[in-house]
């Protein structure tokens, strides 16, 4: 949505708007590949006139309404494994402190790994039903592992407390958040704070949409209206408060 109509494929390359942190991000993407993580595109050249060129990653990307194959437990497990691979590969990489990383959906506390911050289904490339790569790193920034896992769960569980028009019917969000956490290998301390971090994530997502609506971004104005307006954000935030104990129990029960 953030780059609606501005991303184009050119053979084996993708031409798209470059984020402000593109130089630092490009260095990270190259370092991730050198560290053995192949689940991200590679930059092909330095940004020119506010645009960048990245490698095109062939595969299947689920778009809403999300197909049933993309919402299976096995697909979700593969997302958790892929996210863990990103974080582990990035953990030892140097990151320039003065890089203009996006703050829009980033962990307000910062952290030791490169978080993608937008692992929605539309940003995951699948091959043979398994998550193969992440795309659209515009919102990436240093943060805590639990922040990125909670952001991912918001989209994939989904942690909303409501029936989604985008997801297949019958998904159990508490069971699915456990699947994601187990596949990722989320540590006990992170599981204990996960429900609280999920509420922080919800507030961050709300502020993200509000900023774009305030700027008159037609894509987000329409998306907000189609998604139920601010009342839906209110309901989701209330559900996360009410379900905090259940979320923690789902993540920590043996």
């Amino acid at each position: 949505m953030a780059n609606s109509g501005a991303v184009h494929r050119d053979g084996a390359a993708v031409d798209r708007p470059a984020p402000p942190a593109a130089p630092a991000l490009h260095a990270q993407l190259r370092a991730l590949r050198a560290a053995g993580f192949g689940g991200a595109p590679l930059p092909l050249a330095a940004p020119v006139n506010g645009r960048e060129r990245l490698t095109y990653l062939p595969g299947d990307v689920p778009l809403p309404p999300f197909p049933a194959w993309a919402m299976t437990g096995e697909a979700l497990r593969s997302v958790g494994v892929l996210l863990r691979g990103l974080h582990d590969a990035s953990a030892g990489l140097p990151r320039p402190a003065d890089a203009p990383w996006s703050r829009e959906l980033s962990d307000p506390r910062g952290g030791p790994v490169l978080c993608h911050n937008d692992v929605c289904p539309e940003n995951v490339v699948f091959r043979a039903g398994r998550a193969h790569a992440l795309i659209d790193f515009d919102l990436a920034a240093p943060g805590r592992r639990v922040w990125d896992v909670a952001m991912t769960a918001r989209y994939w569980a989904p942690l909303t407390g409501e029936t989604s028009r985008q997801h297949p019917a019958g998904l159990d969000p508490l069971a699915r958040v456990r699947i994601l956490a187990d596949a990722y290998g989320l540590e006990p301390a992170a599981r204990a704070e996960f429900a609280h971090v999920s509420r922080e994530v919800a507030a961050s997502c709300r502020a993200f949409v509000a900023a774009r609506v305030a700027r008159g971004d037609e894509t987000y104005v329409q998306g907000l209206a189609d998604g139920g307006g601010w009342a839906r954000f209110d309901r989701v935030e209330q559900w996360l408060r009410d379900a905090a104990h259940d979320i923690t129990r789902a993540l920590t029960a043996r």
Side-chain angles (χ1 to χ4, degrees):
M1 292 176 66
N3 291 311
S4 180
V7 180
H8 310 285
R9 180 182 174 187
D10 180 13
V14 174
D15 183 272
R16 64 193 310 281
L25 177 58
H26 287 188
Q28 291 286 291
L29 292 175
R30 293 189 184 97
L32 286 169
R33 183 63 60 90
F37 181 72
L42 282 173
L44 296 173
V48 177
N49 297 325
R51 297 191 66 84
E52 63 181 0
R53 288 176 66 82
L54 306 173
T55 53
Y56 172 74
L57 301 177
D60 301 311
V61 176
L63 301 178
F66 302 124
W69 65 261
M71 292 294 131
T72 64
E74 187 59 30
L76 182 59
R77 290 185 187 92
S78 71
V79 172
V81 171
L82 180 63
L83 187 62
R84 181 68 187 234
L86 167 66
H87 291 167
D88 286 354
S90 74
L93 301 180
R95 276 176 287 277
D98 58 348
W101 298 109
S102 171
R103 302 307 303 167
E104 292 183 292
L105 288 179
S106 64
D107 187 345
R109 303 184 197 177
V113 301
L114 183 70
C115 292
H116 183 283
N117 293 320
D118 195 21
V119 185
C120 56
E122 299 96 318
N123 285 337
V124 181
V125 178
F126 282 80
R127 293 184 185 172
R130 295 182 60 83
H132 173 77
L134 302 172
I135 56 176
D136 193 356
F137 278 74
D138 287 24
L139 301 173
R144 294 168 294 161
R145 294 172 181 265
V146 66
W147 177 268
D148 220 11
V149 177
M151 186 70 77
T152 301
R154 177 179 174 86
Y155 300 119
W156 284 90
L159 280 184
T160 61
E162 295 189 350
T163 300
S164 167
R165 293 179 295 176
Q166 296 182 336
H167 295 76
L171 298 182
D172 181 342
L174 298 183
R176 287 176 63 79
V177 76
R178 177 63 184 253
I179 289 172
L180 177 66
D182 286 354
Y184 179 89
L186 195 64
E187 291 76 9
R191 292 175 188 246
E193 66 173 335
F194 187 91
H196 173 73
V197 175
S198 292
R199 296 196 297 276
E200 293 183 313
V201 161
S204 178
C205 290
R206 182 176 191 139
F208 175 83
V209 174
R212 279 162 172 70
V213 170
R215 293 204 298 263
D217 186 316
E218 294 182 2
T219 300
Y220 281 85
V221 171
Q222 188 62 51
L224 178 64
D226 293 344
W230 296 120
R232 182 175 183 276
F233 279 86
D234 293 340
R235 293 193 301 271
V236 170
E237 291 168 1
Q238 184 62 54
W239 180 80
L240 287 169
R241 289 190 292 269
D242 294 342
H245 176 74
D246 292 336
I247 293 171
T248 301
R249 183 172 57 187
L251 288 173
T252 58
R254 293 186 180 276

